[in-house]
PDB file of all heavy atoms in Angstrom:
ATOM      1  N   ASN A   1     -33.765  -1.073 -16.306  1.00  0.00           N
ATOM      2  CA  ASN A   1     -32.411  -1.631 -16.322  1.00  0.00           C
ATOM      3  C   ASN A   1     -32.051  -2.293 -14.994  1.00  0.00           C
ATOM      4  O   ASN A   1     -31.213  -3.193 -14.949  1.00  0.00           O
ATOM      5  CB  ASN A   1     -31.400  -0.534 -16.640  1.00  0.00           C
ATOM      6  CG  ASN A   1     -30.036  -1.091 -16.974  1.00  0.00           C
ATOM      7  OD1 ASN A   1     -29.888  -1.943 -17.849  1.00  0.00           O
ATOM      8  ND2 ASN A   1     -29.016  -0.628 -16.276  1.00  0.00           N
ATOM      9  N   LYS A   2     -32.682  -1.860 -13.908  1.00  0.00           N
ATOM     10  CA  LYS A   2     -32.452  -2.481 -12.613  1.00  0.00           C
ATOM     11  C   LYS A   2     -33.205  -3.806 -12.490  1.00  0.00           C
ATOM     12  O   LYS A   2     -32.686  -4.794 -11.963  1.00  0.00           O
ATOM     13  CB  LYS A   2     -32.885  -1.543 -11.487  1.00  0.00           C
ATOM     14  CG  LYS A   2     -32.032  -0.287 -11.340  1.00  0.00           C
ATOM     15  CD  LYS A   2     -30.617  -0.649 -10.890  1.00  0.00           C
ATOM     16  CE  LYS A   2     -29.775   0.596 -10.673  1.00  0.00           C
ATOM     17  NZ  LYS A   2     -28.378   0.255 -10.276  1.00  0.00           N
ATOM     18  N   TYR A   3     -34.444  -3.805 -12.978  1.00  0.00           N
ATOM     19  CA  TYR A   3     -35.277  -5.000 -12.857  1.00  0.00           C
ATOM     20  C   TYR A   3     -34.976  -6.027 -13.953  1.00  0.00           C
ATOM     21  O   TYR A   3     -35.003  -7.232 -13.705  1.00  0.00           O
ATOM     22  CB  TYR A   3     -36.759  -4.621 -12.923  1.00  0.00           C
ATOM     23  CG  TYR A   3     -37.261  -3.887 -11.706  1.00  0.00           C
ATOM     24  CD1 TYR A   3     -38.330  -3.012 -11.802  1.00  0.00           C
ATOM     25  CD2 TYR A   3     -36.678  -4.072 -10.466  1.00  0.00           C
ATOM     26  CE1 TYR A   3     -38.813  -2.347 -10.684  1.00  0.00           C
ATOM     27  CE2 TYR A   3     -37.138  -3.401  -9.345  1.00  0.00           C
ATOM     28  CZ  TYR A   3     -38.213  -2.535  -9.468  1.00  0.00           C
ATOM     29  OH  TYR A   3     -38.681  -1.874  -8.361  1.00  0.00           O
ATOM     30  N   PHE A   4     -34.737  -5.543 -15.152  1.00  0.00           N
ATOM     31  CA  PHE A   4     -34.518  -6.435 -16.289  1.00  0.00           C
ATOM     32  C   PHE A   4     -33.488  -5.793 -17.213  1.00  0.00           C
ATOM     33  O   PHE A   4     -33.837  -5.143 -18.199  1.00  0.00           O
ATOM     34  CB  PHE A   4     -35.830  -6.676 -17.052  1.00  0.00           C
ATOM     35  CG  PHE A   4     -35.762  -7.795 -18.036  1.00  0.00           C
ATOM     36  CD1 PHE A   4     -36.004  -9.097 -17.642  1.00  0.00           C
ATOM     37  CD2 PHE A   4     -35.456  -7.551 -19.366  1.00  0.00           C
ATOM     38  CE1 PHE A   4     -35.949 -10.145 -18.555  1.00  0.00           C
ATOM     39  CE2 PHE A   4     -35.384  -8.584 -20.283  1.00  0.00           C
ATOM     40  CZ  PHE A   4     -35.639  -9.885 -19.874  1.00  0.00           C
ATOM     41  N   PRO A   5     -32.190  -5.965 -16.906  1.00  0.00           N
ATOM     42  CA  PRO A   5     -31.124  -5.318 -17.696  1.00  0.00           C
ATOM     43  C   PRO A   5     -30.950  -5.976 -19.061  1.00  0.00           C
ATOM     44  O   PRO A   5     -29.996  -6.711 -19.307  1.00  0.00           O
ATOM     45  CB  PRO A   5     -29.896  -5.501 -16.813  1.00  0.00           C
ATOM     46  CG  PRO A   5     -30.164  -6.742 -16.040  1.00  0.00           C
ATOM     47  CD  PRO A   5     -31.639  -6.751 -15.785  1.00  0.00           C
ATOM     48  N   LEU A   6     -31.890  -5.713 -19.969  1.00  0.00           N
ATOM     49  CA  LEU A   6     -31.929  -6.401 -21.246  1.00  0.00           C
ATOM     50  C   LEU A   6     -30.725  -6.105 -22.139  1.00  0.00           C
ATOM     51  O   LEU A   6     -30.497  -6.792 -23.132  1.00  0.00           O
ATOM     52  CB  LEU A   6     -33.226  -6.077 -21.990  1.00  0.00           C
ATOM     53  CG  LEU A   6     -33.470  -4.659 -22.509  1.00  0.00           C
ATOM     54  CD1 LEU A   6     -34.742  -4.679 -23.356  1.00  0.00           C
ATOM     55  CD2 LEU A   6     -33.676  -3.647 -21.408  1.00  0.00           C
ATOM     56  N   ASN A   7     -29.907  -5.104 -21.781  1.00  0.00           N
ATOM     57  CA  ASN A   7     -28.718  -4.795 -22.572  1.00  0.00           C
ATOM     58  C   ASN A   7     -27.487  -5.554 -22.080  1.00  0.00           C
ATOM     59  O   ASN A   7     -26.401  -5.382 -22.616  1.00  0.00           O
ATOM     60  CB  ASN A   7     -28.440  -3.291 -22.525  1.00  0.00           C
ATOM     61  CG  ASN A   7     -28.166  -2.799 -21.119  1.00  0.00           C
ATOM     62  OD1 ASN A   7     -28.844  -3.197 -20.189  1.00  0.00           O
ATOM     63  ND2 ASN A   7     -27.185  -1.945 -20.963  1.00  0.00           N
ATOM     64  N   LYS A   8     -27.659  -6.404 -21.062  1.00  0.00           N
ATOM     65  CA  LYS A   8     -26.532  -7.130 -20.486  1.00  0.00           C
ATOM     66  C   LYS A   8     -26.455  -8.549 -21.040  1.00  0.00           C
ATOM     67  O   LYS A   8     -27.429  -9.107 -21.544  1.00  0.00           O
ATOM     68  CB  LYS A   8     -26.673  -7.193 -18.963  1.00  0.00           C
ATOM     69  CG  LYS A   8     -26.604  -5.854 -18.261  1.00  0.00           C
ATOM     70  CD  LYS A   8     -25.175  -5.376 -18.126  1.00  0.00           C
ATOM     71  CE  LYS A   8     -25.088  -4.148 -17.228  1.00  0.00           C
ATOM     72  NZ  LYS A   8     -23.692  -3.706 -17.053  1.00  0.00           N
ATOM     73  N   ASN A   9     -25.270  -9.141 -20.916  1.00  0.00           N
ATOM     74  CA  ASN A   9     -25.094 -10.561 -21.185  1.00  0.00           C
ATOM     75  C   ASN A   9     -25.064 -11.302 -19.853  1.00  0.00           C
ATOM     76  O   ASN A   9     -24.691 -10.747 -18.816  1.00  0.00           O
ATOM     77  CB  ASN A   9     -23.783 -10.824 -21.931  1.00  0.00           C
ATOM     78  CG  ASN A   9     -23.857 -10.369 -23.381  1.00  0.00           C
ATOM     79  OD1 ASN A   9     -24.440 -11.039 -24.229  1.00  0.00           O
ATOM     80  ND2 ASN A   9     -23.271  -9.213 -23.676  1.00  0.00           N
ATOM     81  N   VAL A  10     -25.457 -12.573 -19.874  1.00  0.00           N
ATOM     82  CA  VAL A  10     -25.445 -13.376 -18.661  1.00  0.00           C
ATOM     83  C   VAL A  10     -24.754 -14.710 -18.922  1.00  0.00           C
ATOM     84  O   VAL A  10     -24.864 -15.280 -20.012  1.00  0.00           O
ATOM     85  CB  VAL A  10     -26.867 -13.646 -18.119  1.00  0.00           C
ATOM     86  CG1 VAL A  10     -27.477 -12.420 -17.525  1.00  0.00           C
ATOM     87  CG2 VAL A  10     -27.760 -14.217 -19.207  1.00  0.00           C
ATOM     88  N   LYS A  11     -24.020 -15.151 -17.921  1.00  0.00           N
ATOM     89  CA  LYS A  11     -23.458 -16.506 -17.957  1.00  0.00           C
ATOM     90  C   LYS A  11     -24.406 -17.400 -17.189  1.00  0.00           C
ATOM     91  O   LYS A  11     -24.735 -17.142 -16.037  1.00  0.00           O
ATOM     92  CB  LYS A  11     -22.065 -16.534 -17.330  1.00  0.00           C
ATOM     93  CG  LYS A  11     -21.438 -17.936 -17.337  1.00  0.00           C
ATOM     94  CD  LYS A  11     -20.022 -17.921 -16.778  1.00  0.00           C
ATOM     95  CE  LYS A  11     -20.027 -17.678 -15.277  1.00  0.00           C
ATOM     96  NZ  LYS A  11     -18.666 -17.831 -14.682  1.00  0.00           N
ATOM     97  N   VAL A  12     -24.850 -18.477 -17.837  1.00  0.00           N
ATOM     98  CA  VAL A  12     -25.828 -19.381 -17.238  1.00  0.00           C
ATOM     99  C   VAL A  12     -25.180 -20.741 -17.038  1.00  0.00           C
ATOM    100  O   VAL A  12     -24.648 -21.337 -17.983  1.00  0.00           O
ATOM    101  CB  VAL A  12     -27.085 -19.520 -18.119  1.00  0.00           C
ATOM    102  CG1 VAL A  12     -28.133 -20.383 -17.415  1.00  0.00           C
ATOM    103  CG2 VAL A  12     -27.667 -18.148 -18.440  1.00  0.00           C
ATOM    104  N   GLU A  13     -25.222 -21.228 -15.802  1.00  0.00           N
ATOM    105  CA  GLU A  13     -24.693 -22.545 -15.459  1.00  0.00           C
ATOM    106  C   GLU A  13     -25.847 -23.433 -15.010  1.00  0.00           C
ATOM    107  O   GLU A  13     -26.618 -23.047 -14.134  1.00  0.00           O
ATOM    108  CB  GLU A  13     -23.643 -22.437 -14.358  1.00  0.00           C
ATOM    109  CG  GLU A  13     -22.424 -21.616 -14.768  1.00  0.00           C
ATOM    110  CD  GLU A  13     -21.502 -21.302 -13.612  1.00  0.00           C
ATOM    111  OE1 GLU A  13     -22.017 -20.846 -12.572  1.00  0.00           O
ATOM    112  OE2 GLU A  13     -20.292 -21.512 -13.753  1.00  0.00           O
ATOM    113  N   ILE A  14     -25.966 -24.607 -15.637  1.00  0.00           N
ATOM    114  CA  ILE A  14     -27.059 -25.528 -15.345  1.00  0.00           C
ATOM    115  C   ILE A  14     -26.483 -26.795 -14.740  1.00  0.00           C
ATOM    116  O   ILE A  14     -25.682 -27.491 -15.382  1.00  0.00           O
ATOM    117  CB  ILE A  14     -27.878 -25.867 -16.601  1.00  0.00           C
ATOM    118  CG1 ILE A  14     -28.401 -24.585 -17.261  1.00  0.00           C
ATOM    119  CG2 ILE A  14     -29.033 -26.798 -16.260  1.00  0.00           C
ATOM    120  CD1 ILE A  14     -27.659 -24.166 -18.478  1.00  0.00           C
ATOM    121  N   PHE A  15     -26.888 -27.101 -13.517  1.00  0.00           N
ATOM    122  CA  PHE A  15     -26.445 -28.314 -12.832  1.00  0.00           C
ATOM    123  C   PHE A  15     -27.602 -29.316 -12.852  1.00  0.00           C
ATOM    124  O   PHE A  15     -28.619 -29.118 -12.186  1.00  0.00           O
ATOM    125  CB  PHE A  15     -26.031 -27.994 -11.393  1.00  0.00           C
ATOM    126  CG  PHE A  15     -24.875 -27.039 -11.308  1.00  0.00           C
ATOM    127  CD1 PHE A  15     -25.077 -25.668 -11.331  1.00  0.00           C
ATOM    128  CD2 PHE A  15     -23.571 -27.515 -11.196  1.00  0.00           C
ATOM    129  CE1 PHE A  15     -24.016 -24.776 -11.252  1.00  0.00           C
ATOM    130  CE2 PHE A  15     -22.502 -26.634 -11.107  1.00  0.00           C
ATOM    131  CZ  PHE A  15     -22.720 -25.273 -11.145  1.00  0.00           C
ATOM    132  N   SER A  16     -27.446 -30.373 -13.638  1.00  0.00           N
ATOM    133  CA  SER A  16     -28.522 -31.336 -13.819  1.00  0.00           C
ATOM    134  C   SER A  16     -27.944 -32.673 -14.270  1.00  0.00           C
ATOM    135  O   SER A  16     -26.845 -32.735 -14.839  1.00  0.00           O
ATOM    136  CB  SER A  16     -29.525 -30.814 -14.857  1.00  0.00           C
ATOM    137  OG  SER A  16     -30.449 -31.805 -15.226  1.00  0.00           O
ATOM    138  N   ASP A  17     -28.702 -33.730 -14.029  1.00  0.00           N
ATOM    139  CA  ASP A  17     -28.315 -35.042 -14.523  1.00  0.00           C
ATOM    140  C   ASP A  17     -28.861 -35.299 -15.928  1.00  0.00           C
ATOM    141  O   ASP A  17     -28.707 -36.393 -16.465  1.00  0.00           O
ATOM    142  CB  ASP A  17     -28.825 -36.140 -13.568  1.00  0.00           C
ATOM    143  CG  ASP A  17     -28.129 -36.089 -12.214  1.00  0.00           C
ATOM    144  OD1 ASP A  17     -26.942 -35.703 -12.181  1.00  0.00           O
ATOM    145  OD2 ASP A  17     -28.777 -36.423 -11.204  1.00  0.00           O
ATOM    146  N   SER A  18     -29.524 -34.292 -16.492  1.00  0.00           N
ATOM    147  CA  SER A  18     -30.131 -34.447 -17.828  1.00  0.00           C
ATOM    148  C   SER A  18     -29.490 -33.491 -18.833  1.00  0.00           C
ATOM    149  O   SER A  18     -30.182 -32.859 -19.639  1.00  0.00           O
ATOM    150  CB  SER A  18     -31.645 -34.195 -17.737  1.00  0.00           C
ATOM    151  OG  SER A  18     -32.258 -35.002 -16.771  1.00  0.00           O
ATOM    152  N   GLN A  19     -28.173 -33.359 -18.774  1.00  0.00           N
ATOM    153  CA  GLN A  19     -27.478 -32.410 -19.626  1.00  0.00           C
ATOM    154  C   GLN A  19     -27.690 -32.686 -21.106  1.00  0.00           C
ATOM    155  O   GLN A  19     -27.914 -31.763 -21.903  1.00  0.00           O
ATOM    156  CB  GLN A  19     -25.979 -32.406 -19.305  1.00  0.00           C
ATOM    157  CG  GLN A  19     -25.630 -31.934 -17.910  1.00  0.00           C
ATOM    158  CD  GLN A  19     -25.944 -30.460 -17.707  1.00  0.00           C
ATOM    159  OE1 GLN A  19     -26.119 -29.723 -18.667  1.00  0.00           O
ATOM    160  NE2 GLN A  19     -26.030 -30.027 -16.465  1.00  0.00           N
ATOM    161  N   THR A  20     -27.609 -33.928 -21.509  1.00  0.00           N
ATOM    162  CA  THR A  20     -27.759 -34.267 -22.928  1.00  0.00           C
ATOM    163  C   THR A  20     -29.156 -33.926 -23.421  1.00  0.00           C
ATOM    164  O   THR A  20     -29.335 -33.346 -24.505  1.00  0.00           O
ATOM    165  CB  THR A  20     -27.481 -35.761 -23.158  1.00  0.00           C
ATOM    166  OG1 THR A  20     -26.154 -36.068 -22.713  1.00  0.00           O
ATOM    167  CG2 THR A  20     -27.605 -36.103 -24.646  1.00  0.00           C
ATOM    168  N   GLU A  21     -30.179 -34.262 -22.617  1.00  0.00           N
ATOM    169  CA  GLU A  21     -31.554 -33.952 -23.001  1.00  0.00           C
ATOM    170  C   GLU A  21     -31.776 -32.441 -23.088  1.00  0.00           C
ATOM    171  O   GLU A  21     -32.443 -31.958 -23.999  1.00  0.00           O
ATOM    172  CB  GLU A  21     -32.537 -34.572 -21.993  1.00  0.00           C
ATOM    173  CG  GLU A  21     -32.596 -36.079 -22.012  1.00  0.00           C
ATOM    174  CD  GLU A  21     -31.514 -36.716 -21.155  1.00  0.00           C
ATOM    175  OE1 GLU A  21     -30.593 -35.987 -20.703  1.00  0.00           O
ATOM    176  OE2 GLU A  21     -31.583 -37.941 -20.953  1.00  0.00           O
ATOM    177  N   ILE A  22     -31.207 -31.702 -22.135  1.00  0.00           N
ATOM    178  CA  ILE A  22     -31.335 -30.245 -22.157  1.00  0.00           C
ATOM    179  C   ILE A  22     -30.650 -29.676 -23.384  1.00  0.00           C
ATOM    180  O   ILE A  22     -31.197 -28.803 -24.082  1.00  0.00           O
ATOM    181  CB  ILE A  22     -30.739 -29.629 -20.869  1.00  0.00           C
ATOM    182  CG1 ILE A  22     -31.588 -30.004 -19.656  1.00  0.00           C
ATOM    183  CG2 ILE A  22     -30.631 -28.118 -20.993  1.00  0.00           C
ATOM    184  CD1 ILE A  22     -31.010 -29.563 -18.331  1.00  0.00           C
ATOM    185  N   ARG A  23     -29.451 -30.156 -23.672  1.00  0.00           N
ATOM    186  CA  ARG A  23     -28.690 -29.676 -24.840  1.00  0.00           C
ATOM    187  C   ARG A  23     -29.470 -29.913 -26.121  1.00  0.00           C
ATOM    188  O   ARG A  23     -29.611 -29.014 -26.963  1.00  0.00           O
ATOM    189  CB  ARG A  23     -27.344 -30.386 -24.874  1.00  0.00           C
ATOM    190  CG  ARG A  23     -26.461 -30.004 -26.052  1.00  0.00           C
ATOM    191  CD  ARG A  23     -26.525 -31.050 -27.136  1.00  0.00           C
ATOM    192  NE  ARG A  23     -25.633 -30.719 -28.234  1.00  0.00           N
ATOM    193  CZ  ARG A  23     -25.795 -31.187 -29.471  1.00  0.00           C
ATOM    194  NH1 ARG A  23     -26.819 -31.968 -29.761  1.00  0.00           N
ATOM    195  NH2 ARG A  23     -24.921 -30.859 -30.406  1.00  0.00           N
ATOM    196  N   ASN A  24     -30.021 -31.113 -26.305  1.00  0.00           N
ATOM    197  CA  ASN A  24     -30.774 -31.435 -27.526  1.00  0.00           C
ATOM    198  C   ASN A  24     -32.050 -30.604 -27.623  1.00  0.00           C
ATOM    199  O   ASN A  24     -32.418 -30.121 -28.703  1.00  0.00           O
ATOM    200  CB  ASN A  24     -31.118 -32.930 -27.557  1.00  0.00           C
ATOM    201  CG  ASN A  24     -29.887 -33.804 -27.700  1.00  0.00           C
ATOM    202  OD1 ASN A  24     -28.839 -33.352 -28.182  1.00  0.00           O
ATOM    203  ND2 ASN A  24     -29.991 -35.064 -27.296  1.00  0.00           N
ATOM    204  N   TYR A  25     -32.718 -30.409 -26.490  1.00  0.00           N
ATOM    205  CA  TYR A  25     -33.963 -29.653 -26.489  1.00  0.00           C
ATOM    206  C   TYR A  25     -33.714 -28.190 -26.853  1.00  0.00           C
ATOM    207  O   TYR A  25     -34.498 -27.583 -27.599  1.00  0.00           O
ATOM    208  CB  TYR A  25     -34.624 -29.753 -25.116  1.00  0.00           C
ATOM    209  CG  TYR A  25     -36.011 -29.153 -25.043  1.00  0.00           C
ATOM    210  CD1 TYR A  25     -37.123 -29.860 -25.494  1.00  0.00           C
ATOM    211  CD2 TYR A  25     -36.216 -27.876 -24.530  1.00  0.00           C
ATOM    212  CE1 TYR A  25     -38.386 -29.316 -25.437  1.00  0.00           C
ATOM    213  CE2 TYR A  25     -37.477 -27.323 -24.457  1.00  0.00           C
ATOM    214  CZ  TYR A  25     -38.558 -28.054 -24.912  1.00  0.00           C
ATOM    215  OH  TYR A  25     -39.818 -27.498 -24.859  1.00  0.00           O
ATOM    216  N   LEU A  26     -32.644 -27.629 -26.337  1.00  0.00           N
ATOM    217  CA  LEU A  26     -32.333 -26.232 -26.638  1.00  0.00           C
ATOM    218  C   LEU A  26     -32.070 -26.039 -28.121  1.00  0.00           C
ATOM    219  O   LEU A  26     -32.571 -25.092 -28.746  1.00  0.00           O
ATOM    220  CB  LEU A  26     -31.127 -25.769 -25.815  1.00  0.00           C
ATOM    221  CG  LEU A  26     -31.335 -25.614 -24.310  1.00  0.00           C
ATOM    222  CD1 LEU A  26     -30.046 -25.188 -23.638  1.00  0.00           C
ATOM    223  CD2 LEU A  26     -32.438 -24.613 -24.011  1.00  0.00           C
ATOM    224  N   TYR A  27     -31.284 -26.904 -28.714  1.00  0.00           N
ATOM    225  CA  TYR A  27     -30.980 -26.770 -30.136  1.00  0.00           C
ATOM    226  C   TYR A  27     -32.217 -26.997 -31.003  1.00  0.00           C
ATOM    227  O   TYR A  27     -32.364 -26.385 -32.059  1.00  0.00           O
ATOM    228  CB  TYR A  27     -29.864 -27.728 -30.530  1.00  0.00           C
ATOM    229  CG  TYR A  27     -28.491 -27.238 -30.139  1.00  0.00           C
ATOM    230  CD1 TYR A  27     -27.518 -28.117 -29.666  1.00  0.00           C
ATOM    231  CD2 TYR A  27     -28.163 -25.885 -30.225  1.00  0.00           C
ATOM    232  CE1 TYR A  27     -26.255 -27.662 -29.298  1.00  0.00           C
ATOM    233  CE2 TYR A  27     -26.918 -25.425 -29.863  1.00  0.00           C
ATOM    234  CZ  TYR A  27     -25.962 -26.317 -29.403  1.00  0.00           C
ATOM    235  OH  TYR A  27     -24.718 -25.857 -29.040  1.00  0.00           O
ATOM    236  N   GLN A  28     -33.112 -27.872 -30.543  1.00  0.00           N
ATOM    237  CA  GLN A  28     -34.353 -28.087 -31.280  1.00  0.00           C
ATOM    238  C   GLN A  28     -35.254 -26.860 -31.226  1.00  0.00           C
ATOM    239  O   GLN A  28     -36.127 -26.696 -32.066  1.00  0.00           O
ATOM    240  CB  GLN A  28     -35.094 -29.298 -30.713  1.00  0.00           C
ATOM    241  CG  GLN A  28     -34.419 -30.632 -31.019  1.00  0.00           C
ATOM    242  CD  GLN A  28     -35.037 -31.773 -30.253  1.00  0.00           C
ATOM    243  OE1 GLN A  28     -36.028 -31.600 -29.520  1.00  0.00           O
ATOM    244  NE2 GLN A  28     -34.464 -32.957 -30.399  1.00  0.00           N
ATOM    245  N   ASN A  29     -35.037 -26.001 -30.230  1.00  0.00           N
ATOM    246  CA  ASN A  29     -35.827 -24.775 -30.082  1.00  0.00           C
ATOM    247  C   ASN A  29     -35.047 -23.533 -30.520  1.00  0.00           C
ATOM    248  O   ASN A  29     -35.218 -22.447 -29.971  1.00  0.00           O
ATOM    249  CB  ASN A  29     -36.298 -24.624 -28.635  1.00  0.00           C
ATOM    250  CG  ASN A  29     -37.463 -25.526 -28.301  1.00  0.00           C
ATOM    251  OD1 ASN A  29     -38.617 -25.144 -28.456  1.00  0.00           O
ATOM    252  ND2 ASN A  29     -37.172 -26.739 -27.863  1.00  0.00           N
ATOM    253  N   ASN A  30     -34.167 -23.731 -31.497  1.00  0.00           N
ATOM    254  CA  ASN A  30     -33.459 -22.613 -32.139  1.00  0.00           C
ATOM    255  C   ASN A  30     -32.484 -21.895 -31.233  1.00  0.00           C
ATOM    256  O   ASN A  30     -32.203 -20.707 -31.437  1.00  0.00           O
ATOM    257  CB  ASN A  30     -34.447 -21.584 -32.713  1.00  0.00           C
ATOM    258  CG  ASN A  30     -35.066 -22.067 -34.008  1.00  0.00           C
ATOM    259  OD1 ASN A  30     -34.671 -23.109 -34.527  1.00  0.00           O
ATOM    260  ND2 ASN A  30     -36.024 -21.332 -34.522  1.00  0.00           N
ATOM    261  N   TYR A  31     -31.947 -22.567 -30.234  1.00  0.00           N
ATOM    262  CA  TYR A  31     -30.927 -21.954 -29.398  1.00  0.00           C
ATOM    263  C   TYR A  31     -29.558 -22.299 -29.971  1.00  0.00           C
ATOM    264  O   TYR A  31     -29.164 -23.471 -29.992  1.00  0.00           O
ATOM    265  CB  TYR A  31     -31.029 -22.455 -27.956  1.00  0.00           C
ATOM    266  CG  TYR A  31     -30.098 -21.739 -27.010  1.00  0.00           C
ATOM    267  CD1 TYR A  31     -30.445 -20.510 -26.470  1.00  0.00           C
ATOM    268  CD2 TYR A  31     -28.856 -22.280 -26.685  1.00  0.00           C
ATOM    269  CE1 TYR A  31     -29.598 -19.837 -25.613  1.00  0.00           C
ATOM    270  CE2 TYR A  31     -27.991 -21.617 -25.826  1.00  0.00           C
ATOM    271  CZ  TYR A  31     -28.373 -20.391 -25.293  1.00  0.00           C
ATOM    272  OH  TYR A  31     -27.518 -19.726 -24.455  1.00  0.00           O
ATOM    273  N   THR A  32     -28.834 -21.285 -30.461  1.00  0.00           N
ATOM    274  CA  THR A  32     -27.556 -21.552 -31.118  1.00  0.00           C
ATOM    275  C   THR A  32     -26.381 -20.840 -30.465  1.00  0.00           C
ATOM    276  O   THR A  32     -25.315 -20.733 -31.050  1.00  0.00           O
ATOM    277  CB  THR A  32     -27.614 -21.139 -32.611  1.00  0.00           C
ATOM    278  OG1 THR A  32     -27.944 -19.748 -32.704  1.00  0.00           O
ATOM    279  CG2 THR A  32     -28.648 -21.959 -33.358  1.00  0.00           C
ATOM    280  N   HIS A  33     -26.588 -20.329 -29.252  1.00  0.00           N
ATOM    281  CA  HIS A  33     -25.450 -19.798 -28.512  1.00  0.00           C
ATOM    282  C   HIS A  33     -24.541 -20.959 -28.120  1.00  0.00           C
ATOM    283  O   HIS A  33     -24.984 -22.113 -28.024  1.00  0.00           O
ATOM    284  CB  HIS A  33     -25.917 -19.043 -27.264  1.00  0.00           C
ATOM    285  CG  HIS A  33     -26.521 -17.706 -27.564  1.00  0.00           C
ATOM    286  ND1 HIS A  33     -25.831 -16.712 -28.220  1.00  0.00           N
ATOM    287  CD2 HIS A  33     -27.749 -17.202 -27.313  1.00  0.00           C
ATOM    288  CE1 HIS A  33     -26.600 -15.652 -28.346  1.00  0.00           C
ATOM    289  NE2 HIS A  33     -27.773 -15.928 -27.806  1.00  0.00           N
ATOM    290  N   PRO A  34     -23.271 -20.687 -27.868  1.00  0.00           N
ATOM    291  CA  PRO A  34     -22.353 -21.769 -27.516  1.00  0.00           C
ATOM    292  C   PRO A  34     -22.752 -22.449 -26.208  1.00  0.00           C
ATOM    293  O   PRO A  34     -23.142 -21.786 -25.246  1.00  0.00           O
ATOM    294  CB  PRO A  34     -20.999 -21.052 -27.380  1.00  0.00           C
ATOM    295  CG  PRO A  34     -21.352 -19.627 -27.095  1.00  0.00           C
ATOM    296  CD  PRO A  34     -22.601 -19.366 -27.871  1.00  0.00           C
ATOM    297  N   LEU A  35     -22.678 -23.770 -26.202  1.00  0.00           N
ATOM    298  CA  LEU A  35     -22.943 -24.567 -25.015  1.00  0.00           C
ATOM    299  C   LEU A  35     -21.703 -25.385 -24.693  1.00  0.00           C
ATOM    300  O   LEU A  35     -21.105 -25.992 -25.591  1.00  0.00           O
ATOM    301  CB  LEU A  35     -24.126 -25.514 -25.232  1.00  0.00           C
ATOM    302  CG  LEU A  35     -25.520 -24.892 -25.410  1.00  0.00           C
ATOM    303  CD1 LEU A  35     -26.504 -25.970 -25.843  1.00  0.00           C
ATOM    304  CD2 LEU A  35     -25.984 -24.253 -24.115  1.00  0.00           C
ATOM    305  N   SER A  36     -21.322 -25.411 -23.437  1.00  0.00           N
ATOM    306  CA  SER A  36     -20.178 -26.212 -23.006  1.00  0.00           C
ATOM    307  C   SER A  36     -20.620 -27.106 -21.858  1.00  0.00           C
ATOM    308  O   SER A  36     -21.317 -26.655 -20.943  1.00  0.00           O
ATOM    309  CB  SER A  36     -19.009 -25.323 -22.554  1.00  0.00           C
ATOM    310  OG  SER A  36     -18.577 -24.494 -23.618  1.00  0.00           O
ATOM    311  N   ILE A  37     -20.221 -28.386 -21.919  1.00  0.00           N
ATOM    312  CA  ILE A  37     -20.556 -29.329 -20.870  1.00  0.00           C
ATOM    313  C   ILE A  37     -19.274 -29.737 -20.157  1.00  0.00           C
ATOM    314  O   ILE A  37     -18.314 -30.199 -20.792  1.00  0.00           O
ATOM    315  CB  ILE A  37     -21.272 -30.566 -21.435  1.00  0.00           C
ATOM    316  CG1 ILE A  37     -22.592 -30.145 -22.108  1.00  0.00           C
ATOM    317  CG2 ILE A  37     -21.560 -31.582 -20.323  1.00  0.00           C
ATOM    318  CD1 ILE A  37     -23.345 -31.290 -22.742  1.00  0.00           C
ATOM    319  N   PHE A  38     -19.258 -29.540 -18.840  1.00  0.00           N
ATOM    320  CA  PHE A  38     -18.069 -29.822 -18.038  1.00  0.00           C
ATOM    321  C   PHE A  38     -18.338 -30.983 -17.091  1.00  0.00           C
ATOM    322  O   PHE A  38     -19.440 -31.127 -16.557  1.00  0.00           O
ATOM    323  CB  PHE A  38     -17.659 -28.589 -17.225  1.00  0.00           C
ATOM    324  CG  PHE A  38     -17.338 -27.373 -18.053  1.00  0.00           C
ATOM    325  CD1 PHE A  38     -18.311 -26.414 -18.325  1.00  0.00           C
ATOM    326  CD2 PHE A  38     -16.060 -27.186 -18.553  1.00  0.00           C
ATOM    327  CE1 PHE A  38     -18.014 -25.291 -19.079  1.00  0.00           C
ATOM    328  CE2 PHE A  38     -15.756 -26.065 -19.306  1.00  0.00           C
ATOM    329  CZ  PHE A  38     -16.729 -25.127 -19.572  1.00  0.00           C
ATOM    330  N   ASP A  39     -17.304 -31.786 -16.881  1.00  0.00           N
ATOM    331  CA  ASP A  39     -17.338 -32.814 -15.837  1.00  0.00           C
ATOM    332  C   ASP A  39     -16.797 -32.209 -14.544  1.00  0.00           C
ATOM    333  O   ASP A  39     -15.778 -31.522 -14.556  1.00  0.00           O
ATOM    334  CB  ASP A  39     -16.477 -34.019 -16.236  1.00  0.00           C
ATOM    335  CG  ASP A  39     -17.075 -34.790 -17.400  1.00  0.00           C
ATOM    336  OD1 ASP A  39     -18.304 -34.960 -17.422  1.00  0.00           O
ATOM    337  OD2 ASP A  39     -16.308 -35.200 -18.295  1.00  0.00           O
ATOM    338  N   ASN A  40     -17.496 -32.441 -13.442  1.00  0.00           N
ATOM    339  CA  ASN A  40     -16.996 -31.964 -12.156  1.00  0.00           C
ATOM    340  C   ASN A  40     -17.301 -33.000 -11.083  1.00  0.00           C
ATOM    341  O   ASN A  40     -18.158 -33.877 -11.268  1.00  0.00           O
ATOM    342  CB  ASN A  40     -17.577 -30.593 -11.799  1.00  0.00           C
ATOM    343  CG  ASN A  40     -19.090 -30.599 -11.769  1.00  0.00           C
ATOM    344  OD1 ASN A  40     -19.682 -31.121 -10.832  1.00  0.00           O
ATOM    345  ND2 ASN A  40     -19.721 -30.026 -12.792  1.00  0.00           N
TER     346      ASN A  40
END
């Protein structure tokens, strides 16, 4: 649980110029968790 807390949830933030490509690739690989894209 210290090394790999598999019972926890994580918030993942991705900073990249390829957001659209990453979003499409994730969904093509069966990733269906909610994704949000923010402008900053």
Side-chain angles (χ1 to χ4, degrees):
N1 193 54
K2 292 293 183 182
Y3 289 153
F4 193 86
L6 68 173
N7 61 317
K8 295 281 189 178
N9 287 282
V10 288
K11 180 177 71 173
V12 184
E13 298 170 311
I14 304 103
F15 298 86
S16 170
D17 293 328
S18 306
Q19 296 293 343
T20 301
E21 292 85 350
I22 292 174
R23 179 260 183 203
N24 293 338
Y25 187 81
L26 290 178
Y27 281 142
Q28 289 170 3
N29 283 270
N30 283 354
Y31 186 82
T32 58
H33 286 301
L35 293 170
S36 300
I37 299 178
F38 300 94
D39 291 320
N40 57 75

